Amino acid sequence: MPSVEELYRNYGILADAKDDVSQHKAAYQVILDGVKGGAKEKFFKHFPDLSDAALNAQLDLCEDEDVSIRRQAIKELSQFATGENLPRVADILTQLLQSDDSAEFNLVNNALLSIFKMDAKGTLGGLFSQILQGEDIVRERAIKFLSSKLKTLPEDVLTKDVEDFIFSESKKVLYDVTGEEFVLFMKILSSLKNLQTVSGRQQLVDLVSEQAGLHQTLNPADPDSVDRLLQCMRQAVPLFSKNVHSTKFVTYFCEHVLPILSTLTSPAEGIDVQLEVLKLLAEMSSFCGDMDKLESNLNKLFDKLLEYMPLPPEEVENGENPANEEPKLQFSYVECLLFSFHQLGRKMPDFLIDKVDADKLKDFKIRLQYFARGLQGYGKTGDSLKTEENKIKVVALKITNNINVLIKDLFHNPPSYKSTVTLSWKPVQKTDVGQKRSSEDTSSSSPPKKPIAGPKRDSRQIYNPPSGKYSGSLGNFSYEQQRGGFRGGRGRGWGGRGNRSGGSVY
């Protein structure tokens, strides 16, 4: 390593050379050899044939044992981001995101943002290179960097061309992701201005459809397959609208999921996977367009609804039930199925009249009437609901009110499909679109830490009805994202990506 005097002497040669600085390659090489110097950044652009050596020297400083040297080296690394070197600098900075030193981590974030403004596509090239090929911890933090920082960039940086690049590179990553990574990428893509349009939302829906494997038959015994389908549906639901239809998803649920509903394996302990499926179907049914096999799918929905709507118990001559048992009324399931049937029934209003035989229709109305009787007693309102005990029953009140409205519609002759209800787990008040679609902010001024446990998404009070006459599944399931991954995962959840393991478990 050259002495301090040699470094100063060669620095002077370069500084005095002015326009002829490129003629003094040997002097610059001496400075490169003294990697703890800072002059190499200043003259870097004048010696393109030594760019690799200069970057390697700077990288050595970024890995120095002295924390002050590391921080200064990281701070100056962006000065090497010129021309063809920028993607490599972005690649190096991305790798440095694995630092557990908060000051270093912030410097890396700032350096990445600074070169983003020089060349967004070049910086993204370095980031995506590490996301696709880097170690798990680097990949994880690079994805979270994109998720939290892209939205802070001005429009003149995040141009249409740049957004198109993000979309195309993201599709490559989505070929093999964990559940957590999929959610983050959907957050990234949904925030892009290019994808805020109807056509953009449709592209995202098509992307989710591909990830969900709607072209495949669902294996109910495989919890990872079930988890993948549910997670994809959760990401798809906010994208649907009157112009972006859920038809493909609703059709898949009716044809491939409802018939095997009772055999689905829960992806995690404590999850009522059947109720989760029915809630997603209900939410999607509101945005279903024209369906090719509407009558067939209505029949599947109708048959499933009958399963959850029991007949009245048989009575002996004195009018009493000899077993002293009442059928279990599963209100939450029925709300979902009735709502879905009501939504699709609008598209074929004569279904119950012309497509269902008279005996079956009579049986259905008996079940409806018995269920309607079972709803009585949940009509408390006003001050009676303000007590702590009865506040829990508000959940039951919302569910039973919805069921009551839908049953009244179907009791019309002919059946009516005009009533509108808000699903019990959905907020009644209007919510700002941007606010509704926001999720946890992964930005931080320090290295990512394990998330603190908090309220789950769509978390609600669970009502446990009394056993006997009105017993039923009124509990509500939270759409909390469960652990798992897609297409083999990355060594977590749904298999192994490249036989690697590590990183945070989702």
Side-chain angles (χ1 to χ4, degrees):
M1 182 182 296
S3 65
V4 174
E5 290 77 14
E6 288 177 303
L7 289 174
Y8 272 109
R9 185 171 64 254
N10 284 282
Y11 178 87
I13 292 172
L14 293 172
D16 294 336
K18 296 183 179 180
D19 294 339
D20 295 326
V21 65
S22 59
Q23 304 298 319
H24 299 280
K25 181 177 178 179
Y28 185 60
Q29 184 64 59
V30 170
I31 292 175
L32 289 182
D33 293 338
V35 292
K36 292 188 178 180
K40 57 185 177 300
E41 297 88 356
K42 180 175 181 179
F43 303 108
F44 172 76
K45 62 182 180 181
H46 299 291
F47 303 96
D49 55 332
L50 292 176
S51 61
D52 285 346
L55 271 175
N56 288 333
Q58 191 71 9
L59 186 55
D60 286 340
L61 293 179
C62 293
E63 298 173 344
D64 196 275
E65 293 182 1
D66 188 325
V67 66
S68 61
I69 292 177
R70 288 202 309 271
R71 291 176 183 175
Q72 186 62 30
I74 292 169
K75 186 177 180 180
E76 295 172 351
L77 192 55
S78 60
Q79 297 181 37
F80 292 84
T82 58
E84 296 178 356
N85 291 310
L86 190 141
R88 186 182 172 195
V89 171
D91 188 285
I92 294 170
L93 285 169
T94 304
Q95 293 180 59
L96 292 172
L97 283 171
Q98 64 186 293
S99 173
D100 290 322
D101 180 274
S102 60
E104 286 182 31
F105 185 80
N106 287 334
L107 286 170
V108 173
N109 273 266
N110 292 336
L112 277 169
L113 287 173
S114 69
I115 65 172
F116 237 115
K117 295 171 184 177
M118 300 178 196
D119 181 355
K121 282 182 69 174
T123 306
L124 286 165
L127 279 160
F128 275 104
S129 173
Q130 284 299 316
I131 289 172
L132 287 166
Q133 301 173 19
E135 294 299 319
D136 281 355
I137 185 63
V138 175
R139 173 185 170 104
E140 176 187 340
R141 294 190 178 180
I143 293 173
K144 288 185 176 179
F145 173 86
L146 288 176
S147 176
S148 62
K149 301 301 182 183
L150 277 183
K151 60 188 177 185
T152 68
L153 296 173
E155 288 187 10
D156 61 333
V157 173
L158 216 56
T159 63
K160 180 182 182 302
D161 187 42
V162 171
E163 290 193 346
D164 288 342
F165 182 77
I166 293 171
F167 186 64
S168 64
E169 291 300 300
S170 295
K171 287 197 290 185
K172 297 176 186 176
V173 178
L174 288 174
Y175 182 77
D176 181 8
V177 289
T178 65
E180 180 184 26
E181 291 170 346
F182 175 67
V183 171
L184 285 175
F185 266 102
M186 288 305 299
K187 176 185 175 183
I188 292 167
L189 296 176
S190 298
S191 69
L192 299 180
K193 187 177 180 180
N194 250 10
L195 298 175
Q196 298 292 333
T197 62
V198 171
S199 60
R201 293 289 168 188
Q202 187 61 57
Q203 288 184 71
L204 289 177
V205 167
D206 293 340
L207 191 62
V208 174
S209 172
E210 183 181 343
Q211 286 291 316
L214 299 188
H215 58 288
Q216 301 171 343
T217 301
L218 179 65
N219 178 6
D222 180 14
D224 288 341
S225 296
V226 175
D227 191 31
R228 176 177 64 189
L229 178 66
L230 296 183
Q231 291 209 54
C232 287
M233 295 307 101
R234 294 182 199 122
Q235 297 306 309
V237 165
L239 301 172
F240 297 133
S241 67
K242 64 179 181 180
N243 296 315
V244 181
H245 294 158
S246 60
T247 313
K248 185 188 299 185
F249 297 83
V250 173
T251 299
Y252 184 85
F253 266 49
C254 289
E255 294 181 356
H256 298 285
V257 183
L258 283 182
I260 59 173
L261 183 65
S262 62
T263 65
L264 293 179
T265 303
S266 179
E269 186 178 353
I271 294 179
D272 187 340
V273 67
Q274 296 178 39
L275 183 56
E276 167 80 340
V277 165
L278 294 179
K279 285 185 173 181
L280 287 168
L281 175 60
E283 290 194 57
M284 293 189 295
S285 66
S286 299
F287 304 106
C288 185
D290 295 333
M291 187 180 285
D292 291 337
K293 300 178 181 178
L294 179 58
E295 182 180 342
S296 172
N297 289 329
L298 270 172
N299 267 311
K300 289 183 174 66
L301 257 177
F302 184 67
D303 290 341
K304 187 59 64 175
L305 180 58
L306 290 178
E307 288 182 26
Y308 286 93
M309 300 194 73
L311 284 166
E314 294 184 5
E315 297 178 348
V316 293
E317 292 182 2
N318 61 6
E320 295 182 357
N321 180 0
N324 197 29
E325 291 182 0
E326 294 284 346
K328 188 177 182 181
L329 303 182
Q330 302 188 77
F331 296 103
S332 293
Y333 294 82
V334 170
E335 180 196 15
C336 298
L337 286 164
L338 263 180
F339 184 88
S340 301
F341 181 79
H342 194 268
Q343 292 294 312
L344 296 189
R346 292 176 177 176
K347 302 177 183 300
M348 189 177 283
D350 62 345
F351 175 78
L352 288 175
I353 300 172
D354 299 335
K355 310 300 181 182
V356 177
D357 65 61
D359 289 340
K360 195 171 184 179
L361 181 59
K362 181 181 178 181
D363 173 82
F364 179 53
K365 289 195 172 183
I366 291 173
R367 293 171 189 264
L368 284 178
Q369 192 169 31
Y370 176 67
F371 212 93
R373 287 209 313 267
L375 298 176
Q376 297 173 9
Y378 292 99
K380 288 187 178 182
T381 56
D383 292 338
S384 62
L385 286 174
K386 292 180 182 179
T387 65
E388 201 59 39
E389 180 182 354
N390 284 325
K391 280 181 181 179
I392 301 175
K393 295 184 180 180
V394 171
V395 175
L397 183 62
K398 290 180 181 178
I399 295 173
T400 53
N401 281 347
N402 285 345
I403 295 173
N404 195 41
V405 170
L406 297 174
I407 286 178
K408 285 181 179 178
D409 253 16
L410 297 180
F411 258 121
H412 280 266
N413 191 14
S416 170
Y417 299 92
K418 294 181 180 179
S419 295
T420 301
V421 299
T422 300
L423 291 164
S424 60
W425 62 90
K426 303 294 288 183
V428 177
Q429 69 274 16
K430 291 185 179 180
T431 307
D432 180 72
V433 174
Q435 188 179 23
K436 179 177 70 176
R437 285 181 178 154
S438 68
S439 55
E440 66 171 327
D441 189 359
T442 55
S443 61
S444 173
S445 60
S446 59
K449 297 179 176 64
K450 291 184 179 179
I452 299 173
K456 295 182 177 181
R457 177 184 168 207
D458 285 350
S459 59
R460 298 172 292 278
Q461 289 179 303
I462 295 177
Y463 174 69
N464 295 314
S467 59
K469 185 175 182 180
Y470 299 122
S471 64
S473 299
L474 281 167
N476 290 286
F477 174 68
S478 170
Y479 291 168
E480 179 74 2
Q481 295 141 3
Q482 304 300 325
R483 65 183 66 220
F486 301 157
R487 300 185 186 276
R490 284 175 50 85
R492 297 167 293 206
W494 295 345
R497 179 184 183 272
N499 295 320
R500 291 211 312 264
S501 63
S504 64
V505 177
Y506 177 55

